[in-house]
Every structure is written in C-alpha cells, then in structure tokens.
C-alpha cells in the first residue's frame, strides 16, 4: 500500500500560546516553519508543478472575473493584453484591481474539476479540527469554523491593489491567510504582502518566505506589490480566509 503524501504535517515545535501573544499586538503575524520540512517540500511540488492555473482579474467598475486553465490556453494574445490593461488602468486611476494566476480550490473540490488532486486533500487538512484549533488558539477567535482556499501564482506583471477584504459584503471573513511556498525570494522581485495605515504609509510588510503562514484579522488595508517583468520566478502561495459561518 502506498503511504499517503505528507501534504500538511504541522511543525511539532509550534507554540500556539507564544504565537497568540505576538498576534494580539497587531492582529497580524508571520508564522515561519509552519509545516515539517518534508511536508512543505511535497506541498510546494504540488502547487508549483501539478496545479492547472487559470487567471483572476478585476477591471475598473467590474466584478472580479476568472478563467480556468483550459480557457487561458486558448485566449487570444490581444484579449489577454486587454484584460491586463483594464486591471492596470483601474489601479492607475485609483480604483481597485488585480491580476494573478489562480486555482480556486473550493470550487474545484465541490465541482470535481480534477478528482483525486492533492489540493482536494489539502483543503480537507486546512478544515480539519487540528489546524482550525491551532488557528483559533493563535488568533483568539473561537468562532472560526471553516476556511476556503486558492492556490495562487503572482508571475511577472501580476499585482493585487490596496483593499481591506470588506468589499464583498461577506462578513463571514474573519482572518485572512497566505501560506508562502516560494524559496529564496529577493526584495527586488516585488510580491510582498504589505499593510498600510490611513495615510498610505507602509506599517508592515512580509517577504514571501518558503513554509511561512501570514495571518491577519479582517479588515486591514493591504496589498501584494507588483511583480516586475524581470522577476525570474513567480510567487506561489495558498491563500484564503477563515470564516465564522
């Protein structure tokens, strides 16, 4: 019998009580070495090499949109450029916009896009009592009952403009998370998760780190900085929200 993949084995050295003290200070935290090294390597392989990414974007005055991987492969270059220009133009005019590669794990799980894909198991792990109990303990929010998830890839020319996660009228979102799966990321490659105050000064920022979990209570103003064309690799992560209903 084949042994199951060690896809989401938590690091046994994690101290939830100590992490809770750190989180309470600013209601955000980067937890390094979330998983065992072997588990992080297996998950990174799945996210980087075995995931069929589509695209998510938002243009000015429009609702967020997405296309699955097979639709992206057949997309005309002119249309792809038009989508990027629409999203970038929105941000240039002070509106909210974004472009990044995406695999919406909850949709894929419920609609059986790729039955048996390892990310189906990952979604179950994220929603298992052991991990939810850990997140409840760190955040001090016992009402958290579930999480959604998406695999994301911020490739060159991708970005996520400033927002606070309240724009969807979805009050069930309580804690956002980003599980980083990129190694040796350099500051000049962008892709940082940054937090801003009401004067638009950056008050905190997290470098994309391999096997790190960024968590923050909603709402907080934040963005993912532009990944420039010269970045030689993309920023891989699993992201989503912990919810109370």
């Amino acid at each position: 019998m084949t042994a199951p993949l060690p896809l989401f084995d938590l690091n046994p050295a994690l101290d939830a009580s100590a992490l809770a003290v750190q989180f309470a200070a600013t209601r955000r935290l980067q937890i390094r070495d979330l998983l065992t090294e072997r588990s992080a390597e297996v998950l990174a392989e799945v996210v980087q090499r075995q995931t069929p990414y589509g695209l998510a974007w938002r243009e000015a005055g429009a609702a967020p949109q997405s296309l699955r991987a097979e639709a992206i492969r057949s997309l005309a270059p002119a249309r792809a450029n038009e989508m990027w220009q629409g999203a970038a133009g929105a941000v240039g005019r002070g509106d909210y916009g974004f472009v990044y590669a995406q695999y919406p794990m909850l949709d894929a799980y419920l609609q059986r896009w790729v039955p048996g894909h390892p990310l189906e198991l990952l979604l179950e792990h994220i929603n298992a009592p052991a991990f939810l109990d850990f997140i409840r303990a760190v955040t001090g929010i016992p009402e958290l009952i579930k999480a959604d998830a998406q695999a994301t890839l911020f490739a060159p020319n991708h970005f996520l403009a400033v927002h606070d996660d309240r724009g969807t009228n979805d009050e069930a979102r309580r804690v956002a998370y980003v599980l980083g799966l990129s190694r040796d990321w350099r500051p000049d490659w962008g892709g940082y998760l940054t937090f801003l105050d009401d004067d638009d000064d950056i008050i905190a920022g997290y470098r994309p780190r391999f096997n790190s979990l960024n968590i923050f209570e909603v709402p907080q103003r934040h963005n993912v900085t532009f990944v420039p064309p010269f970045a030689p690799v993309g920023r891989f992560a699993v992201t989503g929200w912990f919810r109370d209903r």
Side-chain angles (χ1 to χ4, degrees):
M1 180 179 295
T2 303
L5 289 175
L7 194 64
F8 202 72
D9 294 341
L10 292 179
N11 179 355
L14 294 172
D15 184 339
S17 297
L19 294 169
V21 173
Q22 298 175 50
F23 182 83
T26 60
R27 311 304 291 173
R28 58 180 174 267
L29 178 66
Q30 184 175 85
I31 303 172
R32 302 188 187 182
D33 300 322
L34 176 76
L35 307 174
T36 64
E37 182 65 21
R38 175 57 179 155
S39 187
E41 289 174 353
V42 169
L43 180 56
E45 173 69 17
V46 170
V47 169
Q48 295 179 15
R49 302 183 187 280
Q50 301 177 27
T51 300
Y53 286 97
L55 191 73
W57 77 100
R58 182 186 185 277
E59 303 176 52
Q65 302 177 71
S66 63
L67 287 175
R68 290 179 59 176
E70 52 268 31
I72 293 297
R73 287 192 290 269
S74 61
L75 195 67
R79 175 54 184 149
N81 182 65
E82 181 182 274
M83 290 156 50
W84 190 91
Q85 292 291 347
V91 179
R93 293 188 293 275
D95 197 358
Y96 173 54
F98 57 80
V99 178
Y100 59 89
Q102 172 205 48
Y103 183 79
M105 290 161 52
L106 183 58
D107 289 345
Y109 184 96
L110 294 175
Q111 299 171 25
R112 307 295 289 164
W113 288 5
V114 187
H117 193 282
L119 291 184
E120 292 189 343
L121 178 60
L122 176 63
L123 186 63
E124 293 177 357
H125 279 307
I126 291 172
N127 283 276
F131 190 56
L132 287 177
D133 284 346
F134 173 75
I135 296 298
R136 293 181 191 115
V138 172
T139 62
I141 305 176
E143 299 86 7
L144 301 177
I145 61 170
K146 63 182 179 181
D148 56 20
Q150 61 176 341
T152 62
L153 164 59
F154 280 76
N157 292 318
H158 289 178
F159 58 88
L160 175 64
V162 176
H163 63 293
D164 65 10
D165 283 350
R166 290 186 299 186
T168 62
N169 296 318
D170 186 352
E171 298 302 325
R173 293 178 177 178
R174 296 293 301 278
V175 175
Y177 73 91
V178 180
L179 173 54
L181 294 165
S182 294
R183 288 188 183 274
D184 304 320
W185 193 264
R186 298 185 61 83
D188 292 333
W189 299 347
Y192 273 56
L193 172 63
T194 64
F195 297 88
L196 300 93
D197 63 17
D198 291 337
D199 286 330
D200 290 334
D201 287 320
I202 294 174
I203 54 176
Y206 295 140
R207 174 190 173 208
R209 283 185 169 86
F210 184 74
N211 194 17
S212 66
L213 180 70
N214 303 324
I215 55 174
F216 58 95
E217 189 169 18
V218 175
Q220 292 191 46
R221 298 180 70 232
H222 63 283
N223 69 349
V224 175
T225 59
F226 180 75
V227 178
F230 56 77
V233 294
R235 171 196 185 268
F236 290 92
V238 174
T239 72
W241 294 271
F242 293 98
R243 300 169 178 264
D244 60 11
R245 63 179 182 276

